[in-house]
Structures are given as structure tokens and as C-alpha cells.
Amino acid sequence: MQHPRPLIKTLGVVDYLPTFEAMKTFTDSRTPETPDELWLLQHSRVFTQGQAGKAEHVLAPGDIPVVQVDRGGQVTYHGPGQWILYLLVDLRRRSLGVRDLVSLIENSIVSLLAAHGIEAVADPGAPGVYVGGEKIASLGLRVRKGCSYHGLSLNVDMDLEPFGRINPCGYEGLQVTSMAQLLAPGAVEMDAVGEHLADTVADALVESRV
């Protein structure tokens, strides 16, 4: 028997803090019957620092705000041109562990990039997706009462300069790339990539098995 397909909600470019609060409210108020949701969006420029984040990894934020959040991982950057997909998923209902969900996310991103001719890999020691050692996608999750929130970010066609103001995900000198940097000019269509990303993750959740 297949699992139900999560609802996909496209939210546009939104500020981080109201979205963060909305995720927590959704998770705290959901019941065992609440359908899972995927929120596809872009954020206004912001650095987010994970629960165990160390201040020394924020080098020179300048005019970009730094927000402390309750996901795993260290500091990362979000901005326009980067797709965010938040996974509001009842893991117990789908019989998924956190590691299962991490692998599902990483495999979905690798599959999407392969469809665009980009060879990418996951790193078991450093969650995320990499192309030639450069990071193209990050993930960070929080699980509360058996349900996940937060999710993934995929660099599509964005200004990468702010990543130089931090140690991305806590790794000094880690280089970051994007689909636009790896493909021919004009080859990346932002909306199409977002739809593909959400559909790929939704399909993986439907088919997930333990």
C-alpha cells in the first residue's frame, strides 16, 4: 500500500521568521489525521543558525540578519534564487526514521540534478548534496512528536556572495555552487526547477518503504 501524497503549497518569496513560526504552529496543532504538507518557497536574505550552531562560524554577516532556529546543523544562508522545501511530515505514520528522511531528501536532490545533467553526490559524514566537492544543497530538520519540520535548500540561480560571510554549515573554506553556475546561461528555469523538486520529494514520500 502506498502512502498518501503530501499536499504541496507554493508560498513565493517570504520572510523567514513568520514562516518559521507557521511551521511550529502547524506541527504543534496537527493531529494523527492531519495531511502532510510540503512548503515550496524562497526566503528574503537571511542567515539561520542551527541549535548547536557556533558563533565563530558567522564571520561577517553585515546587513543580513542572523536568526537562531531549532533545526539541526550549523549556519547557512537563504536568499532569492534558492528553493526551500519544508517537509511537514508525520514520520511515525510513514514508518520513517530521521536517517531515512535525510536519505530520501538527498536522493531526491541527486535525482533532480541528474535530470539536468549535473552529477551530484551525498556525503554521509556531512549532510547535504555536493558537486565536485562544492555544496549545492543543504538540509536541516527538527522532529517533534514524531513529525518533521524545516527541510532542504537548493541553490538554483542566486547570489552566492553571502556564503563567503560564513563558514557554510560549519565548514571553514567550504565552497558553494549553484545550478546556474554549472549549466549554460539561460538553462535554468526557476519555477520549473521548484515544481520538479517538490514533485520529486512528494513522489519519494509516496513510495517510501522501511
Side-chain angles (χ1 to χ4, degrees):
M1 187 177 72
Q2 288 187 322
H3 294 292
R5 186 178 176 85
L7 302 175
I8 298 173
K9 294 189 174 180
T10 303
L11 305 182
V13 180
V14 294
D15 289 338
Y16 184 84
L17 275 174
T19 313
F20 178 37
E21 293 300 326
M23 280 194 290
K24 291 191 290 184
T25 299
F26 178 91
T27 301
D28 288 342
S29 63
R30 65 182 300 167
T31 71
E33 288 73 42
T34 302
D36 293 334
E37 295 188 2
L38 303 180
W39 294 0
L40 180 69
L41 55 99
Q42 300 172 56
H43 278 312
S44 308
R45 287 157 44 105
V46 66
F47 293 115
T48 64
Q49 177 75 290
Q51 269 190 309
K54 297 179 179 178
E56 60 261 33
H57 294 310
V58 182
L59 306 176
D63 60 342
I64 301 176
V66 181
V67 178
Q68 192 76 33
V69 299
D70 61 353
R71 61 164 172 76
Q74 297 280 335
V75 65
T76 194
Y77 169 70
H78 301 310
Q82 176 196 69
W83 278 121
I84 307 285
L85 190 68
Y86 288 136
L87 288 86
L88 305 167
V89 175
D90 187 331
L91 300 182
R92 290 176 183 165
R93 192 166 59 197
R94 293 181 185 270
S95 300
L96 285 173
V98 176
R99 183 64 245 182
D100 300 316
L101 184 61
V102 168
S103 295
L104 182 152
I105 292 169
E106 291 174 334
N107 292 339
S108 295
I109 297 168
V110 168
S111 172
L112 178 149
L113 293 171
H116 289 82
I118 297 172
E119 184 177 348
V121 296
D123 182 346
V129 176
Y130 301 80
V131 179
E134 298 184 336
K135 197 162 196 176
I136 194 168
S138 299
L139 61 94
L141 297 166
R142 175 73 189 268
V143 176
R144 186 186 294 177
K145 300 177 184 175
C147 298
S148 68
Y149 58 107
H150 296 291
L152 69 92
S153 60
L154 173 64
N155 303 337
V156 182
D157 188 4
M158 66 185 301
D159 177 12
L160 298 174
E161 181 275 330
F163 285 103
R165 307 186 194 186
I166 59 174
N167 291 329
C169 305
Y171 291 93
E172 183 178 355
L174 177 65
Q175 297 301 302
V176 176
T177 191
S178 68
M179 293 179 69
Q181 281 203 325
L182 297 167
L183 298 173
V188 176
E189 209 287 299
M190 192 74 190
D191 288 345
V193 171
E195 291 171 12
H196 187 180
L197 176 64
D199 283 338
T200 300
V201 173
D203 289 345
L205 285 166
V206 169
E207 298 161 5
S208 59
R209 295 283 186 274
V210 177

